[in-house]
Structure formats: structure tokens, C-alpha cells
Amino acid sequence: MKYKIAYIDEDKGWINTFYHTFKNDFDVTRIEVNSESSIESILAKLQESNLDAIVTDYLLEENAEVPFNGNKIVEEIKRIRPHFPIVMLTSYPTQAIGHTDDVHIIYSKDILTVENDKDQEELDIFKTKIQSNISNYYRKIEDTNARIEQLIEKRNNQGLDIPEEEELTKLYILFDELNPEGKDLPANLVHRDSISKLNEFVNETKEILEELKRLNKKK
């Protein structure tokens, strides 16, 4: 079964190019944005589509009066699902790099133009990267869930030591980031010693910030 990906652009020509380039390898959902588009409406459409990855153009305002660029879509998706596979294509890499936190997701749109064997090889590698990112994402979900179940079973049978309790808490937080629609973190899984350590950390951080403020005032 093919992975399902979405491509977001304001240019019909690029949308068609992407579709015909990737249709044999992926199930492609095409999303055209315009002056009436909003990030909220795009996110709603993306969530309804049950996607495995998202590819967006960077400069969405280039040929249409779109009130945002692709980096804003990336930011919102990463806020909701930090580990979800996402790629940004652009003809303006320097500009995109300056407005994107994760520069590793940025690729040139030239990769969609195949004129020789070398271009085809680069395109094939790009497709493989997308497929690998998706499979690694799902594997991480499975591995995280498996470790959670392992620790819960041990907790129920013989109990966990403090490092294992902390690991379990961190795994639940990670699992929630990987799969926000999944299970919540039960309150009884957060060990009281972990809470105490967190409170100590917060208090120490506050003291450091106050000291920095005092030092800045003296300058």
C-alpha cells in the first residue's frame, strides 16, 4: 500500500508537476491555496485526509495573495505533531532557510525537474528519503509504545525504580507528541520523586533568572 502524502502550493502548474512526479510512488492529495485560504482551514483538511507526510511549497504568496508562506504551515504542524514527517520545497532556499527552524526539511524545487540521469537519481533519492522518514516515524511510535507496555507490565508485577519511572514518564510525553490522538499520561504514572525533582529544577531555574536580571541591571 502506498503512503499518502499531501502537496500544498498556490501554483497549479507546480501542483500538477508534483502529482505526476510522485503519483506512482505515493497516494498524493493536492491542496491549492489562495487568498481565501487560512492556516486553520489547511490544518483541518490535512487532519481529515489521514496523511502519512506533508510536502509544502515555501513561497505561497508568490503567484497568489496568500496571507502566509509554507513556513507558517510547518510551524503549526510541528506545534501539534513535532515528529510528523514534513518537507518544504522552494525556489528560494536562502529566504526559506532564514524563516525556518529546521533547515533539514528544505529542498530545492529543481528536484522536480528531471532532464538527465543524474536528475533522476536525485529525485529517486528524494522519494526514498520521504518513504524512510515515514517508516521511521511509524517505527518510533511502535517502539515507544512497546517500551511503555514493557515498563507498565514490570511496574504492575514488581515495581519500577526511580530511573525507570522517569523513563516511563518521558516515554508517555514522547508518545503524546508522536500520536496526539493516542493515550494520555495517567497521573499515577508520574512518580512523586520525579515531581520533586521537577519542582527543584523549576526553583533553581527561577533563581538563575533572577540573578541574571540583577546582573543586567548593574551593567
Side-chain angles (χ1 to χ4, degrees):
M1 186 176 67
K2 296 179 183 177
Y3 285 130
K4 188 174 184 180
I5 65 175
Y7 180 64
I8 305 168
D9 207 316
E10 93 288 358
D11 189 304
K12 289 182 179 179
W14 278 115
I15 290 174
N16 289 332
T17 297
F18 186 93
Y19 175 76
H20 289 293
T21 303
F22 285 82
K23 66 179 181 178
N24 293 330
D25 303 278
F26 299 91
D27 181 0
V28 181
T29 296
R30 292 166 283 185
I31 299 178
E32 181 182 354
V33 293
N34 52 45
S35 59
E36 297 180 357
S37 300
S38 67
I39 292 179
E40 291 75 18
S41 64
I42 292 173
L43 290 177
K45 187 176 293 185
L46 292 173
Q47 290 177 337
E48 292 170 0
S49 301
N50 195 27
L51 300 167
D52 300 304
I54 295 166
V55 182
T56 181
D57 176 42
Y58 165 66
L59 199 60
L60 297 174
E61 61 185 15
E62 183 177 13
N63 295 317
E65 295 181 1
V66 180
F68 52 85
N69 282 322
N71 61 305
K72 294 300 180 182
I73 297 175
V74 171
E75 288 174 8
E76 283 302 305
I77 293 171
K78 289 296 185 181
R79 182 181 63 81
I80 300 168
R81 304 182 73 172
H83 305 274
F84 191 77
I86 186 165
V87 173
M88 189 157 63
L89 295 180
T90 182
S91 300
Y92 306 91
T94 302
Q95 185 177 346
I97 288 171
H99 292 86
T100 307
D101 291 334
D102 185 1
V103 298
H104 300 291
I105 69 170
I106 299 172
Y107 290 84
S108 172
K109 264 189 174 180
D110 291 342
I111 204 164
L112 302 180
T113 305
V114 176
E115 297 180 349
N116 51 52
D117 291 342
K118 183 179 179 181
D119 291 342
Q120 184 62 55
E121 182 181 359
E122 290 180 354
L123 176 61
D124 291 340
I125 292 172
F126 179 60
K127 291 178 180 179
T128 301
K129 283 184 177 180
I130 294 177
Q131 291 171 333
S132 295
N133 283 340
I134 296 171
S135 60
N136 289 340
Y137 171 69
Y138 287 125
R139 188 179 303 113
K140 192 170 187 177
I141 292 176
E142 292 173 0
D143 291 346
T144 301
N145 187 60
R147 180 58 176 161
I148 287 172
E149 291 179 350
Q150 183 182 33
L151 287 171
I152 289 176
E153 183 178 0
K154 183 179 179 182
R155 192 178 198 267
N156 292 336
N157 293 331
Q158 62 189 82
L160 300 176
D161 56 27
I162 291 176
E164 288 172 328
E165 290 279 5
E166 291 176 346
E167 180 188 1
L168 183 57
T169 300
K170 291 176 182 178
L171 286 171
Y172 258 100
I173 293 170
L174 173 60
F175 191 83
D176 185 61
E177 291 178 348
L178 289 166
N179 184 28
E181 293 80 21
K183 59 184 75 172
D184 294 326
L185 175 62
N188 64 342
L189 284 179
V190 182
H191 197 280
R192 61 177 178 273
D193 290 343
S194 299
I195 295 175
S196 297
K197 289 182 179 180
L198 179 60
N199 289 334
E200 290 174 8
F201 174 76
V202 171
N203 290 332
E204 289 175 2
T205 303
K206 288 180 179 178
E207 291 176 5
I208 292 171
L209 289 174
E210 289 300 323
E211 182 63 26
L212 288 173
K213 287 180 182 178
R214 285 194 292 269
L215 291 173
N216 287 331
K217 287 180 180 178
K218 292 179 181 180
K219 292 182 179 180

